[in-house]
């Protein structure tokens, strides 16, 4: 890995430029999505890590659990033009994601409502699963990962960010943060199962993938890790 390997968030000017798409059209409009995306981009090393993992691939990207579709905006700002498709079970977020993407003129980007616990899209290329795994039970996680591995084609990559299960202080803070996100209504479901590193690695290697895994804490207190897998 190159850019993003320093485990830092985006530069402030890049964060402001990307978040600007989420600003309300009118000064008196709701600024929640703008403030949320700006704060996340400025503080979380997620997007530099994911952008670096996908850079150099032309494979279409399926973003499972896309939320507001922030990855699509980050990809285009980074000059990555591969087709993007975001799916999420939160219909309100998907509606806002589509509206903002259209207003920003994002090319080759689409969004749709889908519950990954019961349905999977047909896809070939790269797959991003960012901060989603913990909201599925262990069996559903394994099924999702096997299906995601089967979707990889060409130079496609599987890119995941998740909090891992351990007894560390970061692990405890991650669990508290995820529960709080559910209580305030930002996430529709409570976390169900935190995977451990060795189980993830073993499952994906059984699927024929080469796997790399590294911490992606940045300056946050959470136990976040970045996993990148591809076919040899």
């Amino acid at each position: 890995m190159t850019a993003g390997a320093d485990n830092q968030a985006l530069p402030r000017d890049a964060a402001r430029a990307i978040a600007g798409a989420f600003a309300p059209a009118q000064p008196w409009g709701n600024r929640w999505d703008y403030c949320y995306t700006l704060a996340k981009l400025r503080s979380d090393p997620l997007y530099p890590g994911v952008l670096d993992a996908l850079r150099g691939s032309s494979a279409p990207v399926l973003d499972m659990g896309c939320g507001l579709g922030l990855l699509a905006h980050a990809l285009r700002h980074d000059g990555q033009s591969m087709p993007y498709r975001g799916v999420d079970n939160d219909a309100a977020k998907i509606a806002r994601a589509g509206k903002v993407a259209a207003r920003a003129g994002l090319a080759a980007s689409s969004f749709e409502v889908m519950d990954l616990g019961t349905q999977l899209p047909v896809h070939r290329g790269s797959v991003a699963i960012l901060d989603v795994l913990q909201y599925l039970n262990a069996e559903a996680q394994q099924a999702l990962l096997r299906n995601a591995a089967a979707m990889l084609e060409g130079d496609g990559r599987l890119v995941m960010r998740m909090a891992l299960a351990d007894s560390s202080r970061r692990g405890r803070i991650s669990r508290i943060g995820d529960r709080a996100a559910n209580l305030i209504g930002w996430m529709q479901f409570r976390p169900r199962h935190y995977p451990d590193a060795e189980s993830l690695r073993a499952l994906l290697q059984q699927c024929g993938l080469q796997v790399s895994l590294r911490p992606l804490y940045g300056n946050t207190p959470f136990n976040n890790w970045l996993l990148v897998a591809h076919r040899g």
Side-chain angles (χ1 to χ4, degrees):
M1 293 186 175
T2 53
D6 57 358
N7 209 3
Q8 297 298 311
L10 286 171
R12 296 177 70 87
D13 57 344
R16 189 180 301 109
I18 295 171
F22 295 85
Q26 303 295 336
W28 56 84
N30 190 323
R31 299 180 65 83
W32 169 262
D33 287 347
Y34 168 73
C35 293
Y36 166 78
T37 55
L38 181 61
K40 185 171 184 66
L41 291 168
R42 283 180 171 177
S43 62
D44 192 340
L46 170 62
Y47 292 100
V50 174
L51 293 174
D52 187 55
L54 292 173
R55 194 173 293 118
S57 172
S58 59
V61 174
L62 173 66
D63 187 1
M64 294 189 178
C66 66
L68 294 172
L70 192 50
L71 177 57
H73 294 263
L75 285 168
R76 299 300 180 254
H77 186 270
D78 192 55
Q80 300 193 45
S81 59
M82 71 283 276
Y84 169 94
R85 180 186 182 193
V87 299
D88 199 285
N89 63 0
D90 191 324
K93 287 182 183 177
I94 287 293
R96 302 204 304 276
K99 181 178 180 180
V100 171
R103 190 172 66 206
L106 290 192
S109 301
S110 63
F111 300 90
E112 61 190 279
V113 178
M114 185 175 296
D115 183 354
L116 297 175
T118 60
Q119 181 184 6
L120 285 177
V122 175
H123 175 75
R124 292 292 181 271
S126 291
V127 178
I129 306 175
L130 310 178
D131 300 333
V132 169
L133 278 187
Q134 63 264 35
Y135 295 99
L136 303 173
N137 62 37
E139 183 178 356
Q141 285 182 18
Q142 294 172 12
L144 177 65
L145 295 180
R146 290 192 181 96
N147 280 287
M151 293 176 181
L152 299 190
E153 186 172 86
D155 63 356
R157 296 116 191 227
L158 172 60
V159 184
M160 299 195 298
R161 206 276 287 269
M162 62 271 139
L164 293 181
D166 61 37
S167 59
S168 67
R169 180 174 179 270
R170 286 184 177 275
R172 293 192 296 273
I173 292 174
S174 294
R175 292 190 290 273
I176 293 169
D178 287 339
R179 182 69 180 104
N182 169 246
L183 288 173
I184 67 173
W186 184 247
M187 300 301 296
Q188 292 189 337
F189 300 104
R190 297 176 61 178
R192 299 178 181 177
H193 177 74
Y194 290 88
D196 66 88
E198 291 311 310
S199 295
L200 285 175
R201 189 187 300 275
L203 187 153
L204 293 173
Q205 287 175 341
Q206 289 171 8
C207 294
L209 304 184
Q210 297 182 15
V211 181
S212 67
L213 184 66
R214 67 177 178 90
L216 199 64
Y217 307 146
N219 295 321
T220 76
F222 305 113
N223 193 33
N224 290 328
W225 292 68
L226 182 72
L227 183 149
V228 182
H230 60 88
R231 299 203 176 277

